[in-house]
Amino acid sequence: MNRVMTLVAFLQAQNCSNLPGSWRHPSTMLDFTTPEYYQRIARTLEDGKIQLAFFDDRLALPDLYTGHHADAVGAGVRAVKMDPSTILMAMGMATQKLGLGTTYSTTYYEPYHVARVFATLDLMLKGRAAWNIVTSLNSAEALNFGHAEHMEHDARYDRADEFMDVVMGHWNTWEDDALILDKAEGRFADPAKVHRLDHEGRYFRSRGPFSVPRSPQGHPVLIQAGQSGRGQAFAAQWAELVFVIYHDLEAGKQHYASFKKAVAAAGRDPAQVQVAPACYVIVAESEDAAQAKRAVIEDSARPVDALVLISEVLNYDFGAKGYDEPFSDEELAGFSWHGFRERVVKHSGKKNPTVRDFVEVSGRGTIAEHKVFCGTPKSVADQMEEWFTAPACDGFVLAATHMPGSYEDVVRLLVPELQRRGLFQTEYRGATLRDNLGLPMPRAADWHAAR
Ligand SMILES: Cc1cc2nc3c(=O)[nH]c(=O)nc-3n(C[C@H](O)[C@H](O)[C@H](O)COP(=O)(O)O)c2cc1C
């Protein structure tokens, strides 16, 4: 069978998409606090046979810039953050096949809680759930959860590793055939097939037994998006779908090859771990129309967007520094998202980049943050095909420039062209997200054998 692209919609439970200016776009709908807003997007995505809609998340609004929330709230720079798992259920009720995933933090949540939320989601969504495993990265999140400071980078990943031991452990404590449901005999489930976890580790203690039976996918699909060395090691060990940001195709090819090697070195099958870079698609009936759309989108950005969002992810107030003043080694070492910092150091060609370098090289807060595929359906499909066959990826994470128009354009214009080329599914391949991603069904017995 031909390789089929995985297409993921990159959603936010927010007042804007990944692109903060998207709420200012003339055609964006602003009913983002209602279920109808998300259900409308979900139905559009399912119409286009998109495999997965996924929400990012952060546990604080971005108030590190200038040390106050005035800019973020005043300008609407990702100022609203609702709980995405609740929204997933609303979307699930409006669809049958669309996969539905969300981010939950390993830094501030408890593993038992996360295991229960996602096992329940996978049951209620009949095997369509996915979890994006993140380590939280800034002090605003720490302060919301009663901590004075956020955790150091590698320690966050150490905690995340143990977090996974607990979550996976609980998910695998109900054997596949533990439920009996025999009314006549009065036997509900086989106690010999439901086990206690009894986890006692460095960061967590969790006893069990887990209170949710095994779900149709065995367990939800696991997503990860860390790009530092430590982040990649974590992804190679746990993730089934990995989100990345590539500066360009060349960097993507190199990363893809080295990451697949890391997966093999971790003792897993590289074909069963997919890599999908974030991108923006601006597609229209003609090249001129696509360029006109792009101009409207670019016009929606404000300089404050970049400064607020860079301060947020690097956990540093970019308002406290001169625009052309280089960061010291010490300041750089403290930046929270290592993959982001390393990309700017590499592509600015400077060991000590300035605020301007971070803004211009990262493109954060603008469409330049991700690869932009712009043009007619044919030219956009050509570009995506080049990345897919290089190979630099197994699919794409489609960030939206405006809502819901971005996804309507993708589904109406781009998807048919990808399908015509045999690059994208024309029908959902099965009932569960695993079926539609071509991922194997995990078995509890395999987890125990591997331990
Ligand atoms: C497509 C995509 C989605 C992401 N979603 C989130 C998110 O929801 N929450 C978050 O804190 N980080 C998110 N990240 C960033 C990283 O996963 C994460 O913040 C991590 O701390 C960075 O790890 P690193 O230092 O290993 O690069 C995302 C990155 C990408 C490419």
Side-chain angles (χ1 to χ4, degrees):
M1 199 178 118
N2 284 347
R3 273 173 87 219
V4 175
M5 271 183 197
T6 291
L7 293 183
V8 180
F10 191 175
L11 302 183
Q12 284 71 30
Q14 302 179 11
N15 60 306
C16 50
S17 73
N18 195 54
L19 184 70
S22 64
W23 79 266
R24 305 174 196 125
H25 188 287
S27 78
T28 282
M29 296 184 72
L30 291 178
D31 53 343
F32 59 86
T33 53
T34 70
E36 289 80 9
Y37 176 91
Y38 297 96
Q39 290 175 334
R40 196 182 294 133
I41 294 166
R43 279 192 290 264
T44 298
L45 296 171
E46 189 161 86
D47 245 11
K49 319 296 175 207
I50 304 296
Q51 285 100 336
L52 173 65
F54 129 86
F55 284 89
D56 70 10
D57 196 27
R58 190 148 296 123
L59 298 168
L61 67 80
D63 64 353
L64 274 103
Y65 177 63
T66 73
H68 196 276
H69 57 264
D71 284 292
V73 172
V77 188
R78 294 177 164 221
V80 171
K81 293 186 195 292
M82 292 171 284
D83 178 69
S85 65
T86 318
I87 298 176
L88 278 192
M89 277 311 298
M91 294 170 77
M93 296 302 99
T95 50
Q96 275 83 46
K97 298 287 175 76
L98 178 68
L100 293 157
T102 190
T103 302
Y104 253 49
S105 169
T106 58
T107 310
Y108 295 114
Y109 291 143
E110 274 289 317
Y112 186 89
H113 171 63
V114 173
R116 193 166 79 112
V117 166
F118 281 87
T120 307
L121 274 173
D122 209 33
L123 287 170
M124 294 301 109
L125 296 170
K126 299 188 174 173
R128 295 189 281 149
W131 170 32
N132 178 32
I133 312 156
V134 294
T135 62
S136 293
L137 43 70
N138 75 30
S139 56
E141 297 174 291
L143 291 170
N144 284 345
F145 280 81
H147 302 267
E149 281 190 0
H150 84 113
M151 283 176 81
E152 186 274 323
H153 184 268
D154 286 9
R156 296 200 298 266
Y157 276 112
D158 293 344
R159 180 182 155 105
D161 272 325
E162 192 184 325
F163 198 103
M164 292 309 296
D165 281 334
V166 180
V167 171
M168 294 287 278
H170 279 311
W171 282 344
N172 285 297
T173 50
W174 282 67
E175 294 181 25
D176 293 315
D177 55 352
L179 282 179
I180 301 171
L181 305 180
D182 183 338
K183 284 186 184 176
E185 295 284 326
R187 294 186 70 214
F188 174 72
D190 184 347
K193 293 184 175 174
V194 178
H195 309 279
R196 254 167 55 170
L197 183 64
D198 289 319
H199 176 89
E200 293 205 15
R202 178 166 169 212
Y203 295 98
F204 304 108
R205 288 171 158 222
S206 190
R207 194 195 69 171
F210 193 51
S211 51
V212 187
R214 215 161 157 80
S215 65
Q217 296 194 100
H219 61 70
V221 171
L222 301 176
I223 305 172
Q224 219 276 325
Q227 256 180 292
S228 62
R230 186 66 181 86
Q232 282 188 54
F234 181 86
Q237 186 180 350
W238 298 109
E240 300 174 277
L241 180 55
V242 176
F243 297 155
V244 288
I245 298 175
Y246 287 158
H247 191 76
D248 52 31
L249 176 55
E250 209 36 56
K253 272 163 49 178
Q254 285 171 22
H255 179 274
Y256 184 81
S258 75
F259 179 68
K260 292 271 172 160
K261 272 194 199 142
V263 173
R268 299 175 62 211
D269 178 359
Q272 290 176 3
V273 183
Q274 301 184 10
V275 177
C279 65
Y280 285 107
V281 168
I282 303 172
V283 62
E285 295 77 358
S286 69
E287 189 60 41
D288 284 353
Q291 290 305 334
K293 274 188 185 175
R294 183 177 187 141
V296 175
I297 292 159
E298 285 176 341
D299 196 44
S300 72
R302 304 281 176 273
V304 70
D305 297 346
L307 294 166
V308 165
L309 292 186
I310 295 174
S311 302
E312 176 192 36
V313 291
L314 296 180
N315 199 40
Y316 188 96
D317 176 7
F318 270 52
K321 195 87 180 168
Y323 207 69
D324 288 306
E325 199 185 331
F327 286 103
S328 68
D329 290 346
E330 201 185 359
E331 285 166 332
L332 288 167
F335 284 178
S336 189
W337 181 351
H338 288 190
F340 189 99
R341 176 193 67 200
E342 282 148 24
R343 210 167 55 247
V344 172
V345 167
K346 180 170 175 200
H347 295 286
S348 65
K350 293 181 190 165
K351 190 171 148 287
N352 296 86
T354 62
V355 172
R356 181 189 301 280
D357 293 320
F358 273 92
V359 170
E360 292 179 359
V361 175
S362 77
R364 190 147 177 89
T366 74
I367 53 170
E369 178 167 22
H370 303 311
K371 172 67 190 172
V372 181
F373 297 119
C374 179
T376 61
K378 182 180 176 314
S379 80
V380 170
D382 283 347
Q383 297 169 67
M384 290 172 78
E385 185 169 359
E386 188 188 8
W387 282 49
F388 183 63
T389 53
C393 60
D394 303 298
F396 296 90
V397 181
L398 308 168
T401 53
H402 54 295
M403 296 291 242
S406 247
Y407 293 121
E408 290 170 351
D409 288 352
V410 164
V411 167
R412 188 166 51 86
L413 297 169
L414 175 63
V415 163
E417 179 62 24
L418 294 174
Q419 288 170 331
R420 200 182 58 72
R421 297 176 185 208
L423 290 170
F424 188 58
Q425 61 186 12
T426 51
E427 242 338 304
Y428 284 103
R429 286 170 273 174
T432 68
L433 176 59
R434 288 183 182 280
D435 293 337
N436 291 311
L437 294 174
L439 291 173
M441 169 91 167
R443 294 184 333 122
D446 295 341
W447 164 262
H448 292 292
R451 293 268 107 185

mmCIF file of all heavy atoms in Angstrom, residues 10 54-58 103 132 134-137 141 153 156-157 224-228 230-232 243-245 278 336-340 397, ligand 1:
data_model
loop_
_atom_site.group_PDB
_atom_site.id
_atom_site.type_symbol
_atom_site.label_atom_id
_atom_site.label_comp_id
_atom_site.label_asym_id
_atom_site.label_seq_id
_atom_site.Cartn_x
_atom_site.Cartn_y
_atom_site.Cartn_z
ATOM 1 N N PHE A 10 -4.434 21.645 13.873
ATOM 2 C CA PHE A 10 -3.780 22.184 15.072
ATOM 3 C C PHE A 10 -4.740 23.206 15.705
ATOM 4 O O PHE A 10 -4.816 24.341 15.265
ATOM 5 C CB PHE A 10 -2.484 22.860 14.614
ATOM 6 C CG PHE A 10 -1.511 23.260 15.679
ATOM 7 C CD1 PHE A 10 -0.274 23.787 15.323
ATOM 8 C CD2 PHE A 10 -1.771 23.110 17.026
ATOM 9 C CE1 PHE A 10 0.662 24.170 16.275
ATOM 10 C CE2 PHE A 10 -0.849 23.475 17.991
ATOM 11 C CZ PHE A 10 0.372 24.021 17.599
ATOM 12 N N PHE A 54 -6.414 18.230 16.987
ATOM 13 C CA PHE A 54 -5.680 18.182 18.251
ATOM 14 C C PHE A 54 -5.565 19.582 18.836
ATOM 15 O O PHE A 54 -5.368 20.557 18.113
ATOM 16 C CB PHE A 54 -4.303 17.539 18.004
ATOM 17 C CG PHE A 54 -3.144 18.315 18.523
ATOM 18 C CD1 PHE A 54 -2.737 18.162 19.846
ATOM 19 C CD2 PHE A 54 -2.458 19.201 17.723
ATOM 20 C CE1 PHE A 54 -1.672 18.909 20.335
ATOM 21 C CE2 PHE A 54 -1.396 19.939 18.200
ATOM 22 C CZ PHE A 54 -0.998 19.788 19.514
ATOM 23 N N PHE A 55 -5.726 19.685 20.167
ATOM 24 C CA PHE A 55 -5.620 20.972 20.861
ATOM 25 C C PHE A 55 -4.275 21.093 21.558
ATOM 26 O O PHE A 55 -3.866 20.163 22.268
ATOM 27 C CB PHE A 55 -6.691 21.089 21.953
ATOM 28 C CG PHE A 55 -8.063 21.371 21.414
ATOM 29 C CD1 PHE A 55 -8.907 20.332 21.065
ATOM 30 C CD2 PHE A 55 -8.512 22.671 21.266
ATOM 31 C CE1 PHE A 55 -10.178 20.589 20.575
ATOM 32 C CE2 PHE A 55 -9.783 22.940 20.776
ATOM 33 C CZ PHE A 55 -10.613 21.894 20.422
ATOM 34 N N ASP A 56 -3.639 22.227 21.403
ATOM 35 C CA ASP A 56 -2.490 22.491 22.271
ATOM 36 C C ASP A 56 -3.025 23.032 23.596
ATOM 37 O O ASP A 56 -4.223 23.256 23.756
ATOM 38 C CB ASP A 56 -1.481 23.435 21.612
ATOM 39 C CG ASP A 56 -1.965 24.869 21.472
ATOM 40 O OD1 ASP A 56 -3.007 25.226 22.044
ATOM 41 O OD2 ASP A 56 -1.283 25.643 20.784
ATOM 42 N N ASP A 57 -2.149 23.241 24.559
ATOM 43 C CA ASP A 57 -2.607 23.777 25.849
ATOM 44 C C ASP A 57 -1.452 24.368 26.633
ATOM 45 O O ASP A 57 -0.302 23.931 26.491
ATOM 46 C CB ASP A 57 -3.271 22.676 26.685
ATOM 47 C CG ASP A 57 -4.092 23.258 27.841
ATOM 48 O OD1 ASP A 57 -4.568 24.399 27.705
ATOM 49 O OD2 ASP A 57 -4.256 22.580 28.864
ATOM 50 N N ARG A 58 -1.791 25.347 27.409
ATOM 51 C CA ARG A 58 -0.838 25.882 28.394
ATOM 52 C C ARG A 58 -1.669 26.293 29.586
ATOM 53 O O ARG A 58 -2.819 26.694 29.431
ATOM 54 C CB ARG A 58 -0.073 27.065 27.794
ATOM 55 C CG ARG A 58 1.077 27.506 28.668
ATOM 56 C CD ARG A 58 2.242 28.054 27.872
ATOM 57 N NE ARG A 58 2.863 27.066 27.022
ATOM 58 C CZ ARG A 58 3.003 27.200 25.713
ATOM 59 N NH1 ARG A 58 2.563 28.269 25.096
ATOM 60 N NH2 ARG A 58 3.580 26.250 25.013
ATOM 61 N N THR A 103 -3.637 18.167 24.564
ATOM 62 C CA THR A 103 -2.430 18.274 25.376
ATOM 63 C C THR A 103 -2.813 18.247 26.845
ATOM 64 O O THR A 103 -3.773 18.915 27.233
ATOM 65 C CB THR A 103 -1.774 19.627 25.043
ATOM 66 O OG1 THR A 103 -1.506 19.663 23.652
ATOM 67 C CG2 THR A 103 -0.516 19.858 25.840
ATOM 68 N N ASN A 132 -1.448 14.528 23.824
ATOM 69 C CA ASN A 132 -0.160 15.167 23.561
ATOM 70 C C ASN A 132 0.530 15.398 24.899
ATOM 71 O O ASN A 132 0.073 16.200 25.716
ATOM 72 C CB ASN A 132 -0.377 16.497 22.821
ATOM 73 C CG ASN A 132 0.941 17.233 22.568
ATOM 74 O OD1 ASN A 132 1.974 16.588 22.388
ATOM 75 N ND2 ASN A 132 0.907 18.546 22.554
ATOM 76 N N VAL A 134 3.006 16.867 27.243
ATOM 77 C CA VAL A 134 3.984 17.963 27.305
ATOM 78 C C VAL A 134 4.558 18.141 28.697
ATOM 79 O O VAL A 134 3.962 17.757 29.708
ATOM 80 C CB VAL A 134 3.437 19.357 26.881
ATOM 81 C CG1 VAL A 134 3.074 19.404 25.426
ATOM 82 C CG2 VAL A 134 2.332 19.828 27.777
ATOM 83 N N THR A 135 5.736 18.747 28.686
ATOM 84 C CA THR A 135 6.326 19.240 29.920
ATOM 85 C C THR A 135 6.060 20.744 29.905
ATOM 86 O O THR A 135 6.354 21.407 28.913
ATOM 87 C CB THR A 135 7.840 18.977 29.935
ATOM 88 O OG1 THR A 135 8.450 19.689 28.856
ATOM 89 C CG2 THR A 135 8.159 17.497 29.809
ATOM 90 N N SER A 136 5.499 21.278 30.949
ATOM 91 C CA SER A 136 5.128 22.704 30.957
ATOM 92 C C SER A 136 6.360 23.564 31.104
ATOM 93 O O SER A 136 7.359 23.140 31.690
ATOM 94 C CB SER A 136 4.157 22.986 32.087
ATOM 95 O OG SER A 136 2.944 22.317 31.819
ATOM 96 N N LEU A 137 6.264 24.795 30.570
ATOM 97 C CA LEU A 137 7.536 25.502 30.440
ATOM 98 C C LEU A 137 7.647 26.874 31.070
ATOM 99 O O LEU A 137 8.689 27.507 30.968
ATOM 100 C CB LEU A 137 7.952 25.553 28.965
ATOM 101 C CG LEU A 137 6.939 25.876 27.852
ATOM 102 C CD1 LEU A 137 6.512 27.308 27.928
ATOM 103 C CD2 LEU A 137 7.529 25.509 26.523
ATOM 104 N N GLU A 141 2.630 29.242 34.730
ATOM 105 C CA GLU A 141 1.943 27.973 34.984
ATOM 106 C C GLU A 141 2.262 27.501 36.402
ATOM 107 O O GLU A 141 1.383 27.049 37.132
ATOM 108 C CB GLU A 141 2.391 26.927 33.957
ATOM 109 C CG GLU A 141 2.016 27.289 32.532
ATOM 110 C CD GLU A 141 2.590 26.314 31.511
ATOM 111 O OE1 GLU A 141 3.826 26.309 31.321
ATOM 112 O OE2 GLU A 141 1.827 25.552 30.917
ATOM 113 N N HIS A 153 14.565 22.265 32.900
ATOM 114 C CA HIS A 153 14.231 21.555 31.657
ATOM 115 C C HIS A 153 14.364 20.028 31.749
ATOM 116 O O HIS A 153 13.396 19.298 31.539
ATOM 117 C CB HIS A 153 15.127 22.099 30.529
ATOM 118 C CG HIS A 153 14.840 21.535 29.174
ATOM 119 N ND1 HIS A 153 15.490 20.429 28.672
ATOM 120 C CD2 HIS A 153 13.959 21.906 28.220
ATOM 121 C CE1 HIS A 153 15.027 20.170 27.462
ATOM 122 N NE2 HIS A 153 14.100 21.047 27.155
ATOM 123 N N ARG A 156 12.146 18.251 34.182
ATOM 124 C CA ARG A 156 10.754 18.120 33.715
ATOM 125 C C ARG A 156 10.586 16.832 32.906
ATOM 126 O O ARG A 156 9.577 16.147 32.998
ATOM 127 C CB ARG A 156 10.373 19.301 32.812
ATOM 128 C CG ARG A 156 10.362 20.637 33.485
ATOM 129 C CD ARG A 156 9.530 21.651 32.712
ATOM 130 N NE ARG A 156 9.988 21.953 31.374
ATOM 131 C CZ ARG A 156 10.789 22.949 31.030
ATOM 132 N NH1 ARG A 156 11.279 23.747 31.965
ATOM 133 N NH2 ARG A 156 11.106 23.180 29.774
ATOM 134 N N TYR A 157 11.592 16.522 32.093
ATOM 135 C CA TYR A 157 11.503 15.296 31.305
ATOM 136 C C TYR A 157 11.686 14.050 32.178
ATOM 137 O O TYR A 157 11.076 13.012 31.914
ATOM 138 C CB TYR A 157 12.522 15.310 30.155
ATOM 139 C CG TYR A 157 12.005 16.056 28.937
ATOM 140 C CD1 TYR A 157 12.568 17.262 28.543
ATOM 141 C CD2 TYR A 157 10.948 15.554 28.183
ATOM 142 C CE1 TYR A 157 12.091 17.949 27.425
ATOM 143 C CE2 TYR A 157 10.462 16.227 27.071
ATOM 144 C CZ TYR A 157 11.042 17.422 26.691
ATOM 145 O OH TYR A 157 10.561 18.091 25.590
ATOM 146 N N GLN A 224 3.841 13.623 21.041
ATOM 147 C CA GLN A 224 4.842 14.410 21.762
ATOM 148 C C GLN A 224 5.449 15.444 20.817
ATOM 149 O O GLN A 224 5.443 15.254 19.604
ATOM 150 C CB GLN A 224 5.934 13.496 22.330
ATOM 151 C CG GLN A 224 6.406 13.899 23.717
ATOM 152 C CD GLN A 224 7.463 14.973 23.677
ATOM 153 O OE1 GLN A 224 8.290 15.001 22.785
ATOM 154 N NE2 GLN A 224 7.428 15.870 24.654
ATOM 155 N N ALA A 225 5.980 16.537 21.372
ATOM 156 C CA ALA A 225 6.498 17.592 20.492
ATOM 157 C C ALA A 225 7.766 18.263 21.021
ATOM 158 O O ALA A 225 7.993 19.437 20.774
ATOM 159 C CB ALA A 225 5.414 18.649 20.250
ATOM 160 N N GLY A 226 8.606 17.530 21.708
ATOM 161 C CA GLY A 226 9.865 18.118 22.202
ATOM 162 C C GLY A 226 10.959 17.948 21.164
ATOM 163 O O GLY A 226 11.080 16.886 20.563
ATOM 164 N N GLN A 227 11.748 18.982 20.946
ATOM 165 C CA GLN A 227 12.782 18.874 19.911
ATOM 166 C C GLN A 227 14.198 19.033 20.431
ATOM 167 O O GLN A 227 15.167 18.936 19.686
ATOM 168 C CB GLN A 227 12.520 19.883 18.794
ATOM 169 C CG GLN A 227 11.938 19.193 17.559
ATOM 170 C CD GLN A 227 11.655 20.153 16.420
ATOM 171 O OE1 GLN A 227 10.770 20.980 16.524
ATOM 172 N NE2 GLN A 227 12.404 20.052 15.340
ATOM 173 N N SER A 228 14.360 19.284 21.730
ATOM 174 C CA SER A 228 15.710 19.302 22.298
ATOM 175 C C SER A 228 16.212 17.863 22.296
ATOM 176 O O SER A 228 15.439 16.925 22.062
ATOM 177 C CB SER A 228 15.644 19.822 23.736
ATOM 178 O OG SER A 228 14.846 18.932 24.507
ATOM 179 N N ARG A 230 16.969 16.048 24.851
ATOM 180 C CA ARG A 230 16.225 15.319 25.889
ATOM 181 C C ARG A 230 14.790 15.072 25.434
ATOM 182 O O ARG A 230 14.202 14.023 25.686
ATOM 183 C CB ARG A 230 16.267 16.120 27.202
ATOM 184 C CG ARG A 230 15.652 15.420 28.400
ATOM 185 C CD ARG A 230 16.435 14.200 28.803
ATOM 186 N NE ARG A 230 15.816 13.530 29.948
ATOM 187 C CZ ARG A 230 14.834 12.620 29.857
ATOM 188 N NH1 ARG A 230 14.369 12.276 28.669
ATOM 189 N NH2 ARG A 230 14.341 12.058 30.942
ATOM 190 N N GLY A 231 14.228 16.080 24.733
ATOM 191 C CA GLY A 231 12.860 15.946 24.241
ATOM 192 C C GLY A 231 12.750 14.843 23.204
ATOM 193 O O GLY A 231 11.793 14.054 23.207
ATOM 194 N N GLN A 232 13.741 14.760 22.323
ATOM 195 C CA GLN A 232 13.699 13.717 21.295
ATOM 196 C C GLN A 232 13.866 12.327 21.902
ATOM 197 O O GLN A 232 13.249 11.362 21.450
ATOM 198 C CB GLN A 232 14.807 13.943 20.273
ATOM 199 C CG GLN A 232 14.470 15.042 19.291
ATOM 200 C CD GLN A 232 15.508 15.109 18.179
ATOM 201 O OE1 GLN A 232 15.784 14.126 17.517
ATOM 202 N NE2 GLN A 232 16.096 16.275 18.009
ATOM 203 N N PHE A 243 5.161 15.846 16.789
ATOM 204 C CA PHE A 243 5.015 17.133 16.112
ATOM 205 C C PHE A 243 6.335 17.885 16.178
ATOM 206 O O PHE A 243 6.990 17.911 17.229
ATOM 207 C CB PHE A 243 3.924 17.969 16.785
ATOM 208 C CG PHE A 243 2.551 17.352 16.710
ATOM 209 C CD1 PHE A 243 1.581 17.671 17.650
ATOM 210 C CD2 PHE A 243 2.218 16.468 15.698
ATOM 211 C CE1 PHE A 243 0.311 17.116 17.580
ATOM 212 C CE2 PHE A 243 0.951 15.903 15.615
ATOM 213 C CZ PHE A 243 -0.005 16.221 16.564
ATOM 214 N N VAL A 244 6.688 18.501 15.061
ATOM 215 C CA VAL A 244 7.971 19.202 14.994
ATOM 216 C C VAL A 244 7.782 20.556 14.318
ATOM 217 O O VAL A 244 6.777 20.812 13.660
ATOM 218 C CB VAL A 244 9.020 18.391 14.189
ATOM 219 C CG1 VAL A 244 9.487 17.177 14.964
ATOM 220 C CG2 VAL A 244 8.477 17.988 12.828
ATOM 221 N N ILE A 245 8.795 21.412 14.488
ATOM 222 C CA ILE A 245 8.869 22.645 13.696
ATOM 223 C C ILE A 245 10.164 22.550 12.900
ATOM 224 O O ILE A 245 11.242 22.384 13.485
ATOM 225 C CB ILE A 245 8.886 23.893 14.606
ATOM 226 C CG1 ILE A 245 7.586 23.966 15.420
ATOM 227 C CG2 ILE A 245 9.051 25.154 13.758
ATOM 228 C CD1 ILE A 245 7.550 25.088 16.443
ATOM 229 N N ALA A 278 4.603 21.245 11.795
ATOM 230 C CA ALA A 278 3.540 22.248 11.754
ATOM 231 C C ALA A 278 3.711 23.102 10.499
ATOM 232 O O ALA A 278 4.841 23.379 10.076
ATOM 233 C CB ALA A 278 3.617 23.119 13.002
ATOM 234 N N SER A 336 13.499 28.508 28.439
ATOM 235 C CA SER A 336 12.796 27.292 28.833
ATOM 236 C C SER A 336 12.614 26.274 27.715
ATOM 237 O O SER A 336 12.754 25.079 27.931
ATOM 238 C CB SER A 336 11.420 27.698 29.381
ATOM 239 O OG SER A 336 10.787 26.605 29.952
ATOM 240 N N TRP A 337 12.280 26.713 26.523
ATOM 241 C CA TRP A 337 12.026 25.767 25.410
ATOM 242 C C TRP A 337 13.328 25.643 24.620
ATOM 243 O O TRP A 337 13.674 26.520 23.833
ATOM 244 C CB TRP A 337 10.867 26.287 24.551
ATOM 245 C CG TRP A 337 10.487 25.430 23.394
ATOM 246 C CD1 TRP A 337 11.153 24.338 22.909
ATOM 247 C CD2 TRP A 337 9.347 25.601 22.532
ATOM 248 N NE1 TRP A 337 10.493 23.822 21.815
ATOM 249 C CE2 TRP A 337 9.382 24.573 21.559
ATOM 250 C CE3 TRP A 337 8.302 26.519 22.480
ATOM 251 C CZ2 TRP A 337 8.410 24.459 20.560
ATOM 252 C CZ3 TRP A 337 7.344 26.391 21.480
ATOM 253 C CH2 TRP A 337 7.397 25.363 20.537
ATOM 254 N N HIS A 338 14.048 24.574 24.871
ATOM 255 C CA HIS A 338 15.390 24.450 24.301
ATOM 256 C C HIS A 338 15.371 24.313 22.783
ATOM 257 O O HIS A 338 16.215 24.868 22.087
ATOM 258 C CB HIS A 338 16.120 23.268 24.930
ATOM 259 C CG HIS A 338 16.533 23.539 26.347
ATOM 260 N ND1 HIS A 338 17.365 22.716 27.056
ATOM 261 C CD2 HIS A 338 16.222 24.560 27.198
ATOM 262 C CE1 HIS A 338 17.550 23.205 28.275
ATOM 263 N NE2 HIS A 338 16.861 24.310 28.385
ATOM 264 N N GLY A 339 14.412 23.514 22.269
ATOM 265 C CA GLY A 339 14.330 23.326 20.818
ATOM 266 C C GLY A 339 14.155 24.668 20.100
ATOM 267 O O GLY A 339 14.744 24.919 19.048
ATOM 268 N N PHE A 340 13.365 25.547 20.688
ATOM 269 C CA PHE A 340 13.093 26.885 20.127
ATOM 270 C C PHE A 340 14.369 27.733 20.137
ATOM 271 O O PHE A 340 14.761 28.325 19.130
ATOM 272 C CB PHE A 340 12.001 27.527 20.984
ATOM 273 C CG PHE A 340 11.430 28.816 20.464
ATOM 274 C CD1 PHE A 340 10.232 28.820 19.784
ATOM 275 C CD2 PHE A 340 12.068 30.027 20.682
ATOM 276 C CE1 PHE A 340 9.672 30.007 19.323
ATOM 277 C CE2 PHE A 340 11.528 31.222 20.222
ATOM 278 C CZ PHE A 340 10.331 31.212 19.540
ATOM 279 N N VAL A 397 0.943 18.971 10.490
ATOM 280 C CA VAL A 397 0.048 19.576 11.470
ATOM 281 C C VAL A 397 -0.381 20.921 10.886
ATOM 282 O O VAL A 397 0.448 21.817 10.695
ATOM 283 C CB VAL A 397 0.771 19.785 12.821
ATOM 284 C CG1 VAL A 397 -0.190 20.391 13.836
ATOM 285 C CG2 VAL A 397 1.331 18.482 13.338
HETATM 286 C C1 LIG B 1 2.902 21.276 16.868
HETATM 287 C C2 LIG B 1 3.415 21.588 18.252
HETATM 288 C C3 LIG B 1 2.528 21.657 19.312
HETATM 289 C C4 LIG B 1 2.958 21.958 20.587
HETATM 290 N N1 LIG B 1 2.049 22.043 21.582
HETATM 291 C C5 LIG B 1 2.438 22.417 22.810
HETATM 292 C C6 LIG B 1 1.485 22.595 23.841
HETATM 293 O O1 LIG B 1 0.308 22.363 23.645
HETATM 294 N N2 LIG B 1 1.902 23.003 25.052
HETATM 295 C C7 LIG B 1 3.215 23.255 25.320
HETATM 296 O O2 LIG B 1 3.538 23.639 26.436
HETATM 297 N N3 LIG B 1 4.143 23.090 24.355
HETATM 298 C C8 LIG B 1 3.785 22.685 23.122
HETATM 299 N N4 LIG B 1 4.717 22.542 22.136
HETATM 300 C C9 LIG B 1 6.129 22.780 22.465
HETATM 301 C C10 LIG B 1 6.856 21.577 23.070
HETATM 302 O O3 LIG B 1 6.235 20.374 22.974
HETATM 303 C C11 LIG B 1 7.062 21.713 24.560
HETATM 304 O O4 LIG B 1 6.745 22.963 24.986
HETATM 305 C C12 LIG B 1 8.420 21.360 25.086
HETATM 306 O O5 LIG B 1 8.588 21.874 26.391
HETATM 307 C C13 LIG B 1 9.568 21.843 24.262
HETATM 308 O O6 LIG B 1 10.505 20.871 24.442
HETATM 309 P P1 LIG B 1 12.038 20.938 24.037
HETATM 310 O O7 LIG B 1 12.728 21.862 25.009
HETATM 311 O O8 LIG B 1 12.428 19.502 24.207
HETATM 312 O O9 LIG B 1 12.148 21.400 22.593
HETATM 313 C C14 LIG B 1 4.330 22.212 20.839
HETATM 314 C C15 LIG B 1 5.231 22.136 19.771
HETATM 315 C C16 LIG B 1 4.789 21.822 18.485
HETATM 316 C C17 LIG B 1 5.779 21.722 17.378
#
